[in-house]
Amino acid sequence: MLRPARRALGEQLGLLALMCRRPDLLAPMLSIWVASWGAGEHGPVTTYFLLEIGATTEQIGNFGVIRTVGALLCSPVYGWLLDRRSAFAPVLLASFCCSFGCLFRGLAPVGDTAALYASH
């Protein structure tokens, strides 16, 4: 039972060591780790939060589609920025969009589904 966990931890530590040796990987990978950890923390309660402020289950599904399509459409832009510049611009752009969406969603008044759609 502990063997897979130890192996996974070893792989993560190996990746961390690689990132420390390659500074060009450090910022993007740290962003991914932080975003993954943060999404893992708030993901299970987001649905209940949206229900509490008045979203229907259909609208919550629509929000998921909006996020997925947005990610699919932005991926080529992020790739182009990575190829032309550095990792800084796409990480900054993605972080800004994520932060703005979370802030806007958190400030959405109860029952204002238009604000919820705009935040996704």
Side-chain angles (χ1 to χ4, degrees), residues 29-52:
M29 287 305 296
L30 282 178
S31 298
I32 290 169
W33 274 350
V34 169
S36 298
W37 181 78
E41 293 296 311
H42 76 74
V45 298
T46 300
T47 300
Y48 298 106
F49 168 73
L50 293 171
L51 288 170
E52 187 71 26

Side-chain angles (χ1 to χ4, degrees), residues 36-105:
S36 298
W37 181 78
E41 293 296 311
H42 76 74
V45 298
T46 300
T47 300
Y48 298 106
F49 168 73
L50 293 171
L51 288 170
E52 187 71 26
I53 62 173
T56 65
T57 53
E58 180 183 353
Q59 289 169 329
I60 293 171
N62 290 341
F63 299 152
V65 169
I66 290 168
R67 283 191 304 271
T68 301
V69 169
L72 288 172
L73 293 176
C74 288
S75 293
V77 174
Y78 294 152
W80 181 84
L81 285 171
L82 277 168
D83 291 342
R84 298 282 188 237
R85 295 193 172 34
S86 69
F88 182 76
V91 168
L92 185 66
L93 181 61
S95 298
F96 172 77
C97 291
C98 183
S99 299
F100 180 76
C102 287
L103 175 67
F104 204 62
R105 188 178 317 129

